[in-house]
Structures are given as structure tokens and as C-alpha cells.
Amino acid sequence: DESDLTGMSADQVQMAINEIYARHHRKFVLQDVQAYFDSKSWYDGYVEADEFDTRVMNQYEAANINLMVEYMEKIS
């Protein structure tokens, strides 16, 4: 819930969203984000950003992303 996000910056929340995508093998357009995930032993990015299908996510991941997007809009 939102209380889990309290105190996080928009950049931190965006990286949390990106981690959900990364766990589904999505690649990233921004080089610094791609480099961050490339440094993780669990990451295996092979789906191009423009080919990523959000339907691979489960209902909890989708709900968490929606919550985080709403939170970022609220703190901006």
C-alpha cells in the first residue's frame, strides 16, 4: 500500500517499477537503467522495450505498478 512508498523519491519509485519490468526480461532505453540491471546477477534482459507486453505481469504486479504511478503523480 501507499505507506510502503512513503519517503521514497520519484526516482526510487521509478526504479521499483523498472525492477518489476526487469524481472520479466525487459530491456531499457536509458543506458544508466540498463547498466544498473545488467549488474544484477538475476537479470536476463532480452525483450526490447518497444516489444514488451505488460500482459506477462500478474495482477499483483500490475496493481503495484498502478499504485506506484499514482504515488509518483501525487508527490510531483
Side-chain angles (χ1 to χ4, degrees):
D1 66 15
E2 190 173 315
S3 67
D4 295 320
L5 303 173
T6 302
M8 291 178 72
S9 70
D11 287 341
Q12 291 170 317
V13 175
Q14 184 61 59
M15 284 304 282
I17 292 170
N18 289 344
E19 184 169 331
I20 295 171
Y21 293 143
R23 292 191 180 275
H24 289 284
H25 312 286
R26 183 185 186 274
K27 294 171 82 174
F28 298 90
V29 175
L30 297 176
Q31 288 183 334
D32 58 332
V33 175
Q34 185 64 51
Y36 173 79
F37 287 110
D38 283 340
S39 74
K40 303 300 177 191
S41 62
W42 53 263
Y43 177 69
D44 181 24
Y46 55 81
V47 179
E48 294 297 332
D50 61 350
E51 296 175 7
F52 184 75
D53 187 347
T54 58
R55 292 178 291 182
V56 300
M57 292 186 278
N58 66 40
Q59 66 185 18
Y60 303 106
E61 292 167 323
N64 283 336
I65 288 173
N66 288 336
L67 175 70
M68 288 186 274
V69 168
E70 289 173 8
Y71 178 79
M72 286 193 312
E73 290 170 353
K74 186 176 180 180
I75 65 171
S76 296

